[in-house]
Each structure stands twice: as structure tokens, then as C-alpha cells.
Amino acid sequence: MKPLLYLAPIALAGLVACSPSGDTNETSADATVDPTPAGTIEPDPNGPAANPGTPDAMGDTAPVSNDRTFPVALRGKWRLTDGPAPTAAQCEGATGDNIGKVLEIDETRFSVFETGGKFIEVKQRGAGMVRAIFDTTYADTPTSADLTFAVDPENRTLTVTDNEGRDEARVYRRCPG
């Protein structure tokens, strides 16, 4: 019988630890976190809420901030084409006919095969566009370019314009996936 007497305090302590508290004002750390409902999108930390001068609608301009990031609408993989949306095979940038036709844009830079650029100075910015001076240095030759990247949501295209007139505007379609 003595072994059972030693277990009684341990069992009692377990019951006390697992029982609900009578204090209804008590909250746990987990209770303060509201989960994001399914189908909602978290706000972009660099978006309009973080920069109140940034417009919500494409095409509008705002006081220029030097936020050296691409708007979320521009990020991703795009393929140079004047036809229908590209296939996944057409978006493999380093193979055959795709070389030099696949544009990849991440938060702070863009690239096309072995070339690309990163921000030096932002001149104009909107939810679906950015005009900036980019460092386009390649093979130790310092160069820069004044480029505009703009999304057309109706045509689902991205147009890249060389504002110095060295190249014609290029129109890309978003790659799948």
C-alpha cells in the first residue's frame, strides 16, 4: 500500500496542472495570435501601408520614394513573346531558343540569361510599375540603364521600356507556375 501513497501527490499535481483555471481573464501566448483566414493575403511589408504615398491603382504616380524593390505585381518569371501565354518549357531560360527571352524579377533585381541589373535610384513607382536607374554592369564593364517595368493587368503582360532609347520596348507574358 505504501507505493500507492507516494503516487498520490504526483497524480494530484498532474490533475492541478491539467485542469482549467477558474480565472477567465487569463490568456496564453497562443490566444493572442489570430490566424489568417483561408483565402486572405497578408499585406506586403513594403506595400502601400508601409509607404502611404504609394498609390493603390496602376498608372497613378506618387511622390517618389527610393524603395529599391520591385512591386509585387512585377516579380516572377516572364517570357518575351507576342503570342499566347508561354508554356513551362518556353520558360526554361538557359535552354535552346529560350536564351535571352526569359526575364526573372525578384525583390531587388532582374535578370535575362547572363545579364540583368539592380537598383541604383528609383525615379517613379506605382503598384504595377517602377522606373529606375539600374546598375547593369556586365563582365567588369560598368554600365547603367534607365528602365521602366510596367504591368498591363488586362493583357496580362509586362512591358520593359529603355527610357534612353537604346532599345525598343519589350513585351513579356508571365510564365506558368
Side-chain angles (χ1 to χ4, degrees):
M1 206 56 159
K2 284 186 180 181
L4 290 177
L5 289 176
Y6 293 116
L7 293 176
I10 295 171
L12 184 59
L15 287 174
V16 170
C18 294
S19 66
S21 168
D23 185 4
T24 58
N25 292 329
E26 191 175 298
T27 59
S28 69
D30 293 338
T32 61
V33 177
D34 290 329
T36 303
T40 62
I41 298 173
E42 288 293 319
D44 178 7
N46 296 317
N51 185 2
T54 303
D56 290 333
M58 285 185 10
D60 292 344
T61 57
V64 177
S65 75
N66 204 14
D67 178 8
R68 294 179 183 165
T69 61
F70 279 97
V72 174
L74 301 176
R75 297 178 195 170
K77 194 181 275 193
W78 302 80
R79 174 128 184 350
L80 185 65
T81 182
D82 57 359
T87 64
Q90 291 174 313
C91 291
E92 293 301 321
T95 60
D97 292 338
N98 299 335
I99 293 176
K101 295 180 181 176
V102 178
L103 167 68
E104 294 185 60
I105 300 174
D106 67 22
E107 186 176 357
T108 60
R109 60 175 296 129
F110 72 93
S111 65
V112 178
F113 191 53
E114 294 179 344
T115 63
K118 52 188 173 182
F119 287 94
I120 295 175
E121 176 188 355
V122 175
K123 292 185 161 201
Q124 187 178 6
R125 182 179 182 79
M129 67 81 59
V130 66
R131 178 180 179 182
I133 306 292
F134 292 90
D135 176 356
T136 56
T137 298
Y138 178 73
D140 298 329
T141 302
T143 58
S144 64
D146 180 351
L147 303 173
T148 299
F149 292 77
V151 169
D152 180 344
E154 290 183 27
N155 291 322
R156 303 177 61 98
T157 59
L158 169 72
T159 302
V160 180
T161 306
D162 181 344
N163 297 304
E164 297 166 345
R166 293 179 292 202
D167 292 319
E168 290 184 26
R170 294 177 178 234
V171 179
Y172 296 83
R173 292 196 180 274
R174 189 175 292 279
C175 289

